[in-house]
């Protein structure tokens, strides 16, 4: 169940960050509200996750997955460049999360 809660936190953070892109510096109401609500949900779910998962593992998974997915969204949907160096960076983020979790997530 802890991984379901963490996945919810990650999804909320991704939606909030994407909404922030469309908020135009918080000058558009609905994307701005989506950002605020998304981050509120993300942090609430992350806090719940930390009841049973170590902070190092939870934060590594949360931030690594969020970073990788947001970078992919930027490249696939928002016209950001997709260089080989950027791809290498994403692979290193994923590898780093995997290495941090080798000792177990709890």
């Amino acid at each position: 169940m802890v991984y379901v809660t963490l996945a919810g936190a990650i999804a909320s953070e991704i939606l909030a960050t994407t909404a922030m892109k469309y908020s135009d510096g918080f000058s558009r109401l609905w994307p701005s509200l989506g950002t605020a609500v998304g981050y509120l949900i993300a942090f609430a779910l992350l806090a719940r996750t930390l009841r049973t998962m170590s902070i190092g593992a939870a934060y590594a998974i949360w931030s690594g997955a969020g970073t990788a997915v947001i970078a992919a969204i930027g490249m696939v949907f928002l016209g950001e460049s997709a260089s080989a160096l950027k791809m290498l960076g994403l692979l290193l983020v994923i590898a780093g999360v995997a290495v941090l979790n080798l000792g177990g997530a709890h």
Side-chain angles (χ1 to χ4, degrees):
M1 187 65 177
V2 70
Y3 286 103
V4 172
T5 307
L6 183 56
I10 293 165
S12 296
E13 187 264 338
I14 290 165
L15 291 172
T17 303
T18 303
M20 189 186 307
K21 171 67 176 170
Y22 291 103
S23 75
D24 197 25
F26 295 111
S27 65
R28 298 179 62 218
L29 177 62
W30 294 113
S32 298
L33 287 176
T35 300
V37 169
Y39 279 121
L40 181 65
I41 292 168
F43 283 113
L45 291 172
L46 181 61
R48 185 173 180 97
T49 299
L50 293 176
R51 289 179 181 171
T52 55
M53 183 181 278
S54 72
I55 192 168
Y59 194 75
I61 295 167
W62 184 65
S63 61
T67 299
V69 173
I70 287 296
I73 287 171
M75 289 183 276
V76 173
F77 297 108
L78 302 175
E80 295 179 6
S81 67
S83 67
L85 195 56
K86 195 178 272 191
M87 295 298 172
L88 175 62
L90 286 175
L91 290 173
L92 289 172
V93 166
I94 294 165
V97 170
V99 168
L100 283 171
N101 284 290
L102 286 176
H106 296 280

